[in-house]
Amino acid sequence: MKGPPRIEINEVGPRDGLQIERALVATDDKVAFVDALSACGFARIEVTSFTSPKAIPALADAQDVMRRIARRPGVVYTALIPNIRGLERALEAGTDEMNLVMSCSETHNRANLRMTRDQSFDELAAILRRAGEAGVPCNVSLSTAFGCPFDGDVPAGDVMRLARRLADAGAQGITLCDTTGMAYPTQVAQLCETFQRALPGAALTVHLHNTRGMALVNAVAAWQTGVTRFDAAAGGLGGCPYAPGASGNVNTEEIVHMFACMGVATGVALAPLLDIVHGLPGLVQRALTNPLLAAGPRLATHQPPAWLAERF
Ligand code: COA
Ligand code: ZN
């Protein structure tokens, strides 16, 4: 099995994770969450989203959080933005890199962003111009790239056309998002290969959800085609509140542990990350199922039973 020797993990728990939680997480706790993540070795941390507080009440304190986090050199602090108003707020708060968002499918775009895809594209093109003038790099996250919970299959040609138009409009990177875990490995491999052949100059990130248990296997499929950038959320938090059936992102600790087993460098230290994951049920006020935390890393071996020493 072959793929790149080194990958980057973008931790999206503070944004994709907290946007859907029922419990209100205090601003101080969000800042502490991001600060703890900063010590783990992530390339990027998606700190929050500058969306309408009516649409995403959980992240209404975006500016406070972004201003108050401790910036660790080498970590890029990003935020999700859907419109020009979001860009203005994100710039004011000192966001390093913008992650613009729109959907590949029409119905999810309307449900999530209350705009048609054409309206969203025009909004994003305007953001790309403004951010370009401000010298702030932009990535675009394309939701429902592998399927839409309303419209079903999304043709790969539609995804690629949109990606190309956004790259032409100035996006430095594109994230292909599997919003509700509809992707499967051969589909992921095919779209990632097509993308890298067609748009070699655009940084490709893959954003997976584990809704149907295929997130890790999809990550391997993407890695085998040469993908080096993955979004993931600590504890497997996450989900889009405007996509029926949405559930958690690929677990950061699981993807880090898996690639470490395979000898692929992620730059992320598992031990401090597991400490953070241990505290997540307290942060979001609900129990989380976390097999890796329960079992420990694969070489966390156990003492043999005492009777073995007597018998052998
Ligand atoms: N930041 C803060 N407030 C914003 C905002 C932003 N980026 N964009 C709009 N608003 C405010 C407006 O000022 C207005 O406030 P008012 O009612 O007090 O006057 C209100 O929100 C509605 O504005 P409008 O432009 O009509 O937006 P909308 O209701 O059509 O919603 C979006 C459009 C894109 C702002 C909204 O759907 C949204 O934020 N969606 C994000 C969804 C999301 O993050 N999903 C999960 C991640 S994929
Ligand atoms: Zn997501």
Side-chain angles (χ1 to χ4, degrees), residues 15 19 49-56 80 82-83 85-86 89 101 112-115 143 240-242:
R15 192 280 299 172
Q19 72 184 8
S49 73
F50 291 94
T51 43
S52 156
K54 284 180 191 139
I56 308 285
L80 191 85
N83 59 10
R85 171 95 186 89
R89 292 174 61 217
V101 63
N112 191 39
L113 301 169
R114 298 169 199 222
M115 290 180 255
S143 305
C240 173
Y242 298 100

Side-chain angles (χ1 to χ4, degrees), residues 185-246:
T186 46
Q187 179 197 26
V188 170
Q190 214 159 37
L191 189 56
C192 290
E193 267 167 15
T194 305
F195 185 101
Q196 291 167 100
R197 221 177 303 120
L199 295 172
L204 170 61
T205 303
V206 171
H207 176 108
L208 298 164
H209 281 260
N210 199 37
T211 318
R212 294 176 174 80
M214 289 193 275
L216 281 181
V217 74
N218 285 336
V220 172
W223 171 76
Q224 285 185 294
T225 71
V227 172
T228 57
R229 293 162 45 126
F230 294 87
D231 286 355
L237 297 176
C240 173
Y242 298 100

